[in-house]
């Protein structure tokens, strides 16, 4: 007897999850699916596998965790709790209490390493006076001479800070993160700059030799060159930028989560050398439904960008080498993600 055989081909889903396309039209995008939950793409290729699970706790702290910062150089962690206490943690060892932050816990603190002849300091910005932790010391230091800030980074052998209540950015003295005294006769002293219009600076991201500055009114500025040779250029408007917790970079592009979903500011040869573009089209209709308190985390070792639009239990994973999404669902809200060398 002859048999009717109908071949069934399971194609690659390397295109990821797509909720923007009508389900009836997904057949035209054979490498995509409407639902891909609790799966991830193998970082070594394009194979779709079950996502990593949750194991038993490594350590239970006396308060809920606000943020975990991973030091790639030392392979240890700085753990911030919602009661403002701060611990250092090395995998497999007992955490060490090092002090408290002096700001609020509305946003995750910002950190930057700075090394000079006196050693390495970990600078901590949380909305109040800039603090620092010396790797050779045992506690977080607070100095009233430090500026108030909610953003900090190293820039041109200086420390750069800003506060969202102003349109001003400040640079410390050269090679001295504790020098915030202005002296117009000294090129190495503290310098500051008002960026563009009077609207507050709510996000800054370094991109090669330039700074990308997001303002509260939706405008985006580019700052080129070192202090006193600054060049400020308007490169975008209507960014719908929400919070500094929700931006990072993918190569030469700044990526941020806006009220419209996941977007990028990409280098171009056109006006301003930058253009804003949606890169989360496949999942933006779902991700932008609730953008109450978004954050992003980029895992360099697995080539994944984690997106949590509202500090809730659902995390969207953008596998940026493939340009594909999957969706992870957890039993409880996820506050922060960190990576390390241990599996």
């Amino acid at each position: 007897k002859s048999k009717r055989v109908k071949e069934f081909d399971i194609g690659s889903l390397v295109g990821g999850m797509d909720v923007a396309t009508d389900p009836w039209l997904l057949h035209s995008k054979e490498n995509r699916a409407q639902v891909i939950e609790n799966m991830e793409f193998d970082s070594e290729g394009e194979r779709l596998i079950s996502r990593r699970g949750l194991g038993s706790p490594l350590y239970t702290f006396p308060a809920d965790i606000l943020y975990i910062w991973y030091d790639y150089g030392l392979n240890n962690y700085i753990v911030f709790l919602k009661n403002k206490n701060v611990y250092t943690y090395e995998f497999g060892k007992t955490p060490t209490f090092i002090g408290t932050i002096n700001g609020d816990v509305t946003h995750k603190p910002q950190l930057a390493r700075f090394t000079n002849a006196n050693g390495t300091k970990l600078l901590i910005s949380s909305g109040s006076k800039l603090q620092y932790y010396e790797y050779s010391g045992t506690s977080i230091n607070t100095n009233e001479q430090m500026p108030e800030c909610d953003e900090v980074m190293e820039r041109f052998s200086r420390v750069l800070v800003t506060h969202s209540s102003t349109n001003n950015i400040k640079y410390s003295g050269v090679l001295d993160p504790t020098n915030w005294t202005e002296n117009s006769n000294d090129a190495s002293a503290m310098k500051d700059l008002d960026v563009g219009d009077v609207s507050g600076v709510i996000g800054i991201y370094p991109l090669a030799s330039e700074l990308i500055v997001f303002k509260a009114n939706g405008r985006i500025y580019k700052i080129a060159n070192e202090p006193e040779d600054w060049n400020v250029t308007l490169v975008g408007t209507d960014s719908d930028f929400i919070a500094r917790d929700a931006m990072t970079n993918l190569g030469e592009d700044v990526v941020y989560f806006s009220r419209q979903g996941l977007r990028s500011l990409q280098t171009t040869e056109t006006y301003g050398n930058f253009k804003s573009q949606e890169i989360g089209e496949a999942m933006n209709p779902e991700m932008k439904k609730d953008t109450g308190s978004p954050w992003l985390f980029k895992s360099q070792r697995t080539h994944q960008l984690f997106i949590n639009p509202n500090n809730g239990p659902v995390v969207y994973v953008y596998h940026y080498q493939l340009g594909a999404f999957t969706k992870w669902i957890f039993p409880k809200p996820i506050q922060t993600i960190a990576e390390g060398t241990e599996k």
Side-chain angles (χ1 to χ4, degrees):
K1 295 181 180 180
S2 62
K3 295 183 179 180
R4 294 183 178 180
V5 178
K6 183 178 181 181
E7 294 185 356
F8 180 68
D9 178 34
I10 301 178
S12 167
L13 293 179
V14 71
M17 186 171 170
D18 186 345
V19 299
T21 302
D22 189 299
W24 293 101
L25 300 178
L26 270 181
H27 69 275
S28 63
K29 299 181 178 180
E30 295 180 352
N31 64 352
R32 297 191 180 190
Q34 188 178 21
V35 178
I36 306 178
E37 294 179 351
N38 294 321
M39 306 285 286
E40 65 180 324
F41 290 97
D42 181 1
S43 61
E44 302 302 323
E46 302 175 354
R47 187 165 56 98
L48 195 62
I49 59 176
S50 297
R51 72 162 173 87
R52 290 153 287 173
L54 297 179
S56 57
L58 300 175
Y59 185 84
T60 300
F61 290 92
D64 289 343
I65 294 174
L66 171 69
Y67 179 56
I68 300 176
W69 186 80
Y70 176 59
D71 190 321
Y72 283 89
L74 297 178
N75 191 34
N76 64 8
Y77 303 85
I78 307 294
V79 182
F80 295 85
L81 305 185
K82 289 187 175 181
N83 64 2
K84 300 189 178 184
N85 287 347
V86 185
Y87 291 79
T88 60
Y89 174 68
E90 185 176 347
F91 185 77
K93 298 183 179 180
T94 301
T96 301
F97 173 74
I98 58 173
T100 60
I101 57 173
N102 55 11
D104 59 44
V105 292
T106 305
H107 295 281
K108 297 173 174 61
Q110 301 286 301
L111 294 91
R113 291 182 66 180
F114 191 93
T115 302
N116 58 16
N118 298 320
T120 298
K121 290 181 173 61
L122 182 64
L123 300 156
I124 304 171
S125 168
S126 61
S128 188
K129 296 288 184 180
L130 182 65
Q131 298 173 285
Y132 63 90
Y133 169 69
E134 296 186 86
Y135 281 86
S136 59
T138 58
S139 62
I140 294 176
N141 296 277
T142 304
N143 186 334
E144 289 302 315
Q145 302 303 314
M146 300 291 245
E148 290 195 354
C149 58
D150 48 26
E151 191 134 9
V152 61
M153 66 185 68
E154 181 183 1
R155 198 74 178 162
F156 302 127
S157 299
R158 302 174 185 258
V159 172
L160 180 154
V161 299
T162 187
H163 196 284
S164 57
S165 64
T166 75
N167 71 332
N168 183 267
I169 62 174
K170 291 180 171 61
Y171 289 80
S172 73
V174 175
L175 290 175
D176 188 355
T178 64
N179 178 5
W180 298 94
T181 302
E182 191 170 11
N183 183 349
S184 59
N185 297 317
D186 183 0
S188 68
M190 186 272 282
K191 306 296 177 184
D192 69 338
L193 171 71
D194 290 337
V195 182
D197 56 80
V198 298
S199 183
V201 174
I202 58 173
I204 295 182
Y205 205 89
L207 199 62
S209 60
E210 300 169 328
L211 287 172
I212 305 301
V213 180
F214 294 87
K215 306 295 288 292
N217 61 4
R219 292 184 176 180
I220 308 172
Y221 289 88
K222 176 187 73 175
I223 302 175
N225 304 329
E226 299 186 31
E228 295 196 306
D229 291 322
W230 290 300
N231 182 277
V232 180
T233 307
L234 178 66
V235 296
T237 59
D238 303 321
S239 68
D240 261 340
F241 184 85
I242 303 174
R244 62 179 181 272
D245 295 341
M247 66 174 170
T248 185
N249 75 294
L250 295 179
E252 297 181 352
D253 302 330
V254 175
V255 176
Y256 64 99
F257 190 78
S258 75
R259 292 177 180 84
Q260 299 303 314
L262 189 65
R263 310 179 83 178
S264 71
L265 195 66
Q266 301 178 339
T267 56
T268 177
E269 298 300 323
T270 59
Y271 166 76
N273 297 325
F274 289 93
K275 69 175 180 180
S276 185
Q277 180 174 325
E278 287 192 26
I279 61 172
E281 301 98 326
M283 293 303 299
N284 279 344
E286 183 172 318
M287 293 192 297
K288 70 181 183 180
K289 289 180 179 179
D290 181 358
T291 59
S293 185
W295 54 261
L296 302 181
F297 172 75
K298 182 177 68 174
S299 171
Q300 300 181 40
R301 291 171 175 156
T302 60
H303 315 301
Q304 295 168 323
L305 177 66
F306 297 89
I307 306 138
N308 191 321
N310 50 33
N311 235 7
V314 176
V315 176
Y316 300 89
V317 185
Y318 181 61
H319 305 266
Y320 53 82
Q321 287 192 328
L322 302 175
F325 282 93
T326 58
K327 178 180 178 180
W328 294 6
I329 303 173
F330 295 91
K332 294 183 179 180
I334 301 300
Q335 300 291 330
T336 184
I337 294 176
E339 66 179 349
T341 57
E342 292 77 16
K343 300 297 183 182

